[in-house]
Amino acid sequence: MARILPSMASQMIIVLFLLYSLSATFVSAGGDLGFGRILDKKRHKLRKPKLNHFHFFFHDILSGRNPTAVMVVPPPSNTSMTGFGSVAIMDDPLTVGPNLSSKTIGKAQGLYASASQEEFALLMVMNFAFTEGKYNGSSLSILGRNPGATSKVREFPVIGGSGLFRFARGYALASTHDLNIKTGDAVIEYNVYVLHY
């Protein structure tokens, strides 16, 4: 029996060594399941990140023959004074200056929905799709809460982008430049700060 025990002990040591080797292999693989891998930043032209500031005006036009924002879901009849539940789709021009006749640099395309029962607050989901200069064809994606004109400056996160704004992150500050209470037409000034490659 004394001879069997050393033999079993050596077999146990070999089994434990094999198990340890296998576990070390899985850990060093970083959990790679075959569908994801780390890429070389230089090969994919990801240089040092840049911080850009963009300044423009957003024209949300609800009135007239050619509105740029249209309500597609009206609020239910039993809703609060906030219009809770209403949804509008927009294709609003972005211009260099506050006048609609100033140079157009892109469009704000997306939707906004009344998302609060007690106070006026919108959920904003939009892309700033640029059409000018080197940013032509690139876009920034915004998603956030808009407390409307009750706040002098509203802040939204920049959650991503396309084209020159791949991997973008940052924030947008919006302030009301002009608001027509009767028609709902508004000109909003935007300052957008974006970190991108």
Side-chain angles (χ1 to χ4, degrees), residues 129-147:
F130 296 102
T131 57
E132 268 305 306
K134 72 177 187 177
Y135 301 109
N136 183 18
S138 297
S139 66
L140 291 171
S141 298
I142 308 291
L143 173 67
R145 181 179 185 272
N146 182 354

Side-chain angles (χ1 to χ4, degrees), residues 31-185:
D32 183 12
L33 300 176
F35 60 87
R37 61 191 169 110
I38 296 172
L39 298 176
D40 180 26
K41 286 182 181 182
K42 289 179 184 174
R43 185 171 174 227
H44 291 277
K45 300 178 185 172
L46 295 177
R47 296 172 288 281
K48 207 172 186 182
K50 298 176 278 218
L51 180 63
N52 282 55
H53 171 232
F54 297 93
H55 177 254
F56 50 83
F57 293 83
F58 167 111
H59 300 267
D60 196 48
I61 304 165
L62 303 171
S63 66
R65 297 177 63 162
N66 192 20
T68 62
V70 178
M71 187 173 298
V72 292
V73 178
S77 59
N78 62 347
T79 191
S80 66
M81 293 298 289
T82 66
F84 177 67
S86 61
V87 179
I89 301 293
M90 66 179 146
D91 185 24
D92 292 341
L94 303 176
T95 61
V96 172
N99 296 322
L100 189 54
S101 59
S102 65
K103 184 176 185 174
T104 300
I105 58 161
K107 296 280 190 121
Q109 296 171 327
L111 62 90
Y112 51 88
S114 179
S116 177
Q117 296 182 42
E118 290 85 33
E119 60 184 342
F120 182 77
L122 299 173
L123 166 66
M124 304 291 293
V125 180
M126 63 181 161
N127 289 313
F128 293 140
F130 296 102
T131 57
E132 268 305 306
K134 72 177 187 177
Y135 301 109
N136 183 18
S138 297
S139 66
L140 291 171
S141 298
I142 308 291
L143 173 67
R145 181 179 185 272
N146 182 354
T150 57
S151 295
K152 186 175 181 183
V153 177
R154 284 88 68 197
E155 182 176 338
F156 310 105
V158 173
I159 61 167
S162 66
L164 291 178
F165 298 118
R166 290 181 187 143
F167 299 106
R169 61 190 185 278
Y171 64 98
L173 300 175
S175 56
T176 303
H177 179 77
D178 188 35
L179 174 64
N180 185 322
I181 300 294
K182 283 186 178 181
T183 63
D185 295 354

